[in-house]
């Protein structure tokens, strides 16, 4: 199938049979990645029906209330449809509630009201979710930014119930039978918010309420209209005529009941399911359509757009719009209401690598708002978030908020207060925040010693490496904004990675407070001084100075051999301080790619380091191998945690043929384009076209290339070369061109000046 030559914003993408056409959204499968468990992740996703970056998502719920595994493909019973804000099963949900149509006998508790379903009777897409349950109840829902519209068709007039479950953690439900409404609030947060946090909701029904009641904890109270406690459910009974459908409209707000009413009236009041679904479809098509792919297989096209859909879900917009359409938000940091933008549900340890660079390239309007959000959080808490859900959460490591700001500024996004940004960045690396993961854990020792000592600090080696990269980001930003002294200061500490490289082994290692290496050393040992990985994975975490790392290893050829050995080594492991085989270990072993663990983020850039040492054909080979082997548009379509879009964004970038190996620079390392053509519909009306002739399975190698008609032999392309518009033509082959890209002038840049070593 081939892409049409010209496509409008909400375009027909592919001709699919006689007289039928499909749009971008039709190639998305939200069930990709849902076949996951605690022991083994194929994505740890759920089928989110939502608007891009929406305030609220909706998903069928097959797991127990409180379980991070809300929907698992292997399950066969649906017990509710949940308004969810969950970014990860490991972080869990907050401000969540669920609804469930019940037919026949009234069953209220989640563990009792579940009804079997079959996957052939469900249809999941970004703009809607539909399912026919085994008891004959037909349910369809579509989402707005803050709300949803649901249609329910009951199989008979007997026992037409509807349950609203506010779950556990502090809630209130009130039934207004006359106006056919249910209102209330839910909390059930897992930390990181002030005491006044709540999600206020409104739910309105199309038909009169024939019977009502509440269940407080385990006590059912027929006829009662108000419930407030740790755990509350409400139930309603209807008399919907045969052939008719119950329509449920809902919206919510983190600001106030009044704002929830405003959201309700603006987004769902008086609107039909069909028109709301079409509006959602148009929004998704418009954003998915900023990238048009042609060629490849139908499976690869589905995988591409399914990954792009995942990338456009997080971070979540926490801001709403007041009566004057001014953006306002409840701050999860100080509990106040402020004008401006706020985003949440993102772990930058994952997403700084490719998600936010993708926004900066194709959705720069989002990046601008995200940076404003970071500075708003700094104003309200004294620190920028590193893992927010919805406020500061104690998860993961690093100061990667600095990467987002530096990358945005380097690529021309400058609609923010740079002086405030610099102050926030310096504070982020000099002070400890309200939780260990916010600010810099061990900043005093890091700056005094040039590394964090282990075991004084858990994950000390990984933290040191990430801090050195953050210091480079700070140095770059300071230099670009005219602060030379600050740039020089942090430019020095950006070299601190050197202090943990042991030339005897050729790996990054842990040192104790006295400077001695921690013994014994096993490069395959996970945990301890590392984060969800081993030295095999973190040794490559010097993306800002690949040339410097190569010199430590003995030069370009020595580093090339070291990279080769990562793929050739047996997938041996020692679970170290974890005490058991964590799912990331199991996933690495299952891949069969040696010590390369694509299912987790620290090593995902390593393939592209071949571009920095004159062996670009190996980046082409390995990136294509990962694209073809480790992803599919299926419930088991990921090889590890999807993680807020990062593993998806890797696929999106790599399938286009380039990757941001070092966010903060304007260079993208070249890989191997998966498709015959990729058209980027850039903001401002310009387009950039990538074509690959002679492409296909077994042909990952670039024989030659031309950029805007001129010979192109570099192993990188510049951001400004893409955003200016133009065309990159590649000729693909089944044999590597070992002469192309070997000159120093072809290498992406490093902090250490390039050499011939």
């Amino acid at each position: 199938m081939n892409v049409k030559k010209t496509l409008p914003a909400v375009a027909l993408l592919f001709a699919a049979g006689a007289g039928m056409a499909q749009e971008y959204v039709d190639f998305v499968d939200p069930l990709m990645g849902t076949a996951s468990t605690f022991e083994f992740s194929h994505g740890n996703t759920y089928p989110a029906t939502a608007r891009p970056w929406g305030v609220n998502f909706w998903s069928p719920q097959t797991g127990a209330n409180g379980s991070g595994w809300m929907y698992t493909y292997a399950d066969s019973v649906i017990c509710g449809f949940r308004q969810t804000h969950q970014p990860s099963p490991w972080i869990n949900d907050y401000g969540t509630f669920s609804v469930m149509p019940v037919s026949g006998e009234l069953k209220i508790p989640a563990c009792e009201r579940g009804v079997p379903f079959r996957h052939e009777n469900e249809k999941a897409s970004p703009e809607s979710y539909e399912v026919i349950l085994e008891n004959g109840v037909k349910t369809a829902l579509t989402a707005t930014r803050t709300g949803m519209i649901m249609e329910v068709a009951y199989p008979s007039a007997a026992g037409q119930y509807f349950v609203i479950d506010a779950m556990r953690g502090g809630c209130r439900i009130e039934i207004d039978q006359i106006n056919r409404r249910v209102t209330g609030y839910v909390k059930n947060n897992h930390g990181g918010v002030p005491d006044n946090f709540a999600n206020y909701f409104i739910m309105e029904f199309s038909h009169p309420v024939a019977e009502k009641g509440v269940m407080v904890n385990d006590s059912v109270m027929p006829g009662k209209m108000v419930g407030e406690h740790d755990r509350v459910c409400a139930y309603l009974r209807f008399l919907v005529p045969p052939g008719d459908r119950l329509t449920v409209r809902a919206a919510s707000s983190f600001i106030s009941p009044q704002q929830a009413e405003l959201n309700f009236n603006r987004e769902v009041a008086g609107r039909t399911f069909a028109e709301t679904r079409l509006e959602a479809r148009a929004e998704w098509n418009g954003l998915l359509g900023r990238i048009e792919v042609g060629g490849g297989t139908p499976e690869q096209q589905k995988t591409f757009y399914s990954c792009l859909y995942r990338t456009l879900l997080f971070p979540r917009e926490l801001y709403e719009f007041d009566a004057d359409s001014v953006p306002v938000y409840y701050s999860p940091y100080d509990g106040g209401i402020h004008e401006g933008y706020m985003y949440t549900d993102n772990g930058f340890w994952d997403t700084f690598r490719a998600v936010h660079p993708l926004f900066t390239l194709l959705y720069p309007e989002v990046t601008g708002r995200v940076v404003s959000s970071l500075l708003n959080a700094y104003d309200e808490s004294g620190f920028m978030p590193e893992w927010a859900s919805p406020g500061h959460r104690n998860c993961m490591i690093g100061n990667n908020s600095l990467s987002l700001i530096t990358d945005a500024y380097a690529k021309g996004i400058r609609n923010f207060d740079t002086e405030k940004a610099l102050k926030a960045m310096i504070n982020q690396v000099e002070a400890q925040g309200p939780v260990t993961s916010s600010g810099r854990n061990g900043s005093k020792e890091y700056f005094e010693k040039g590394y964090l000592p282990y075991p004084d600090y858990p994950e000390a080696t990984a933290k040191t490496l990430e801090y050195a990269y953050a210091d480079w980001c700070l140095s770059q930003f300071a230099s670009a904004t005219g602060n030379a002294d600050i740039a020089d200061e942090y430019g020095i500490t950006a070299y601190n990675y050197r202090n943990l490289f042991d030339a005897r082994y050729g790996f990054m290692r842990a040192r104790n407070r006295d400077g001695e290496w921690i013994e014994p050393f096993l490069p395959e040992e996970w945990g301890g001084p590392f984060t969800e990985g081993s030295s095999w994975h973190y040794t490559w975490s010097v993306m800002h100075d690949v040339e410097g790392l190569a010199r430590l290893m003995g030069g370009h050829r020595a580093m090339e051999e070291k990279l080769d050995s990562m793929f050739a080594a047996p997938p041996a492991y020692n679970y170290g301080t974890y005490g058991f085989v964590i799912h990331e270990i199991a996933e690495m072993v299952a891949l069969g790619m040696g010590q390369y663990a694509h299912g987790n983020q620290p090593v995902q850039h390593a393939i592209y380091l071949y571009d920095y040492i004159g062996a670009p054909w190996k980046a082409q080979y390995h990136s294509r191998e990962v694209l073809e082997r480790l992803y599919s548009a299926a419930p088991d379509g990921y090889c590890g945690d999807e993680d807020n879009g990062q593993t998806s964004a890797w696929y999106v970038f790599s399938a286009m043929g380039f990757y941001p190996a070092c966010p903060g620079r304007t260079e993208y390392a070249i890989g191997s384009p998966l498709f015959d053509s990729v058209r980027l519909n850039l903001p401002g009306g310009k387009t950039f076209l990538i074509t690959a002739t002679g492409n296909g399975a077994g042909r990952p190698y670039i024989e030659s290339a031309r950029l805007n008609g001129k010979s192109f032999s570099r192993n990188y392309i510049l951001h400004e070369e893409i955003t200016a518009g133009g065309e990159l033509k590649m000729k693909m082959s089944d044999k590597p061109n070992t002469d192309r890209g070997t000159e120093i002038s072809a290498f992406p840049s490093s902090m250490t000046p390039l050499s011939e070593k």
Side-chain angles (χ1 to χ4, degrees), residues 81-82 151 207 224 242 249 263 265 292 320 324 339 345 383 431 433 490 531 559 566 616 649 665 697 706 712 720 752:
F81 300 89
R82 185 193 291 186
E151 289 187 338
H207 290 67
K224 190 172 176 62
R249 297 177 176 87
N263 294 342
N265 291 333
E292 304 169 17
E320 304 169 44
D324 297 319
E339 286 189 8
D345 292 331
F383 291 87
Y490 291 99
T531 303
M559 182 169 168
M566 175 174 60
R665 283 203 179 93
R706 301 185 72 82
F712 180 76
E720 52 267 35
T752 298

Side-chain angles (χ1 to χ4, degrees), residues 70-132:
M70 173 171 42
Y71 177 101
T72 301
Y73 193 80
D75 290 343
S76 59
V77 172
I78 288 176
C79 60
F81 300 89
R82 185 193 291 186
Q83 186 201 82
T84 178
H85 311 99
Q86 180 170 296
S88 161
W90 313 107
I91 293 291
N92 216 303
D93 218 333
Y94 63 88
T96 181
F97 63 91
S98 69
V99 299
M100 182 66 180
V102 176
S103 180
E105 179 185 358
L106 174 61
K107 296 179 181 179
I108 300 175
C111 58
E112 298 177 13
R113 65 175 182 255
V115 179
F117 77 108
R118 291 181 291 171
H119 291 298
E120 57 263 37
N121 291 329
E122 72 172 338
K123 181 180 179 182
S125 67
E127 82 272 18
S128 63
Y129 177 85
E130 303 174 36
V131 66
I132 303 174

Side-chain angles (χ1 to χ4, degrees), residues 690-709:
I690 303 163
T691 59
T693 59
N695 204 7
R699 301 180 65 84
Y701 301 109
I702 300 173
E703 174 64 29
S704 60
R706 301 185 72 82
L707 177 62
N708 298 328

Side-chain angles (χ1 to χ4, degrees), residues 309-345:
Y309 148 80
R310 283 284 163 203
T311 306
L312 302 184
L313 287 174
F314 295 103
R316 179 183 314 286
E317 296 172 348
L318 199 61
Y319 61 91
E320 304 169 44
F321 293 94
D322 68 12
D324 297 319
S325 297
V326 174
V328 292
Y329 62 89
Y330 165 83
S331 171
Y333 302 103
D334 68 6
I337 308 300
H338 305 273
E339 286 189 8
Y341 298 103
M342 181 57 62
Y343 284 79
T344 189
D345 292 331

Side-chain angles (χ1 to χ4, degrees), residues 22 66 94 130 367 573 629:
Q22 290 180 288
Y94 63 88
E130 303 174 36
T367 297
Y573 65 87
R629 281 190 50 203

Side-chain angles (χ1 to χ4, degrees), residues 399 402 425-426 428-430 440 442-452 460-476 478 484-500 508 541-545 552 751-752:
N399 302 128
L402 277 64
M425 294 166 84
I426 292 172
Q428 199 80 353
V429 305
E430 297 281 354
R440 179 164 286 185
S443 60
K444 182 175 181 292
E445 289 82 356
Y446 168 81
F447 286 116
E448 286 179 350
K449 295 181 175 296
Y451 66 94
L452 272 188
T461 303
K463 288 176 180 175
T464 298
L465 294 169
E466 299 220 11
Y467 293 168
Y469 167 68
D471 288 350
W472 175 82
C473 289
L474 178 46
S475 177
Q476 291 288 108
D485 291 345
I486 296 173
D488 290 344
E489 178 184 353
Y490 291 99
I492 293 171
T493 56
Y495 284 108
N496 279 347
Y497 70 88
R498 294 171 172 173
N499 298 326
L500 294 182
M508 297 292 177
S541 292
V542 191
M543 59 277 288
H544 62 293
D545 195 18
L552 291 177
M751 189 168 62
T752 298

Side-chain angles (χ1 to χ4, degrees), residues 477-534:
F477 184 78
S479 177
T481 54
N483 295 276
D485 291 345
I486 296 173
D488 290 344
E489 178 184 353
Y490 291 99
I492 293 171
T493 56
Y495 284 108
N496 279 347
Y497 70 88
R498 294 171 172 173
N499 298 326
L500 294 182
F501 185 83
D502 187 346
R504 296 173 300 167
Y505 293 94
F507 285 97
M508 297 292 177
R509 293 187 58 187
R511 277 188 147 136
N512 66 19
R513 182 168 292 276
D514 296 325
E516 299 167 335
W517 297 112
I518 298 296
E519 300 290 354
F521 173 65
L522 296 172
E524 67 272 13
E525 183 174 346
W526 288 54
F530 297 104
T531 303
E532 295 181 1
S534 70

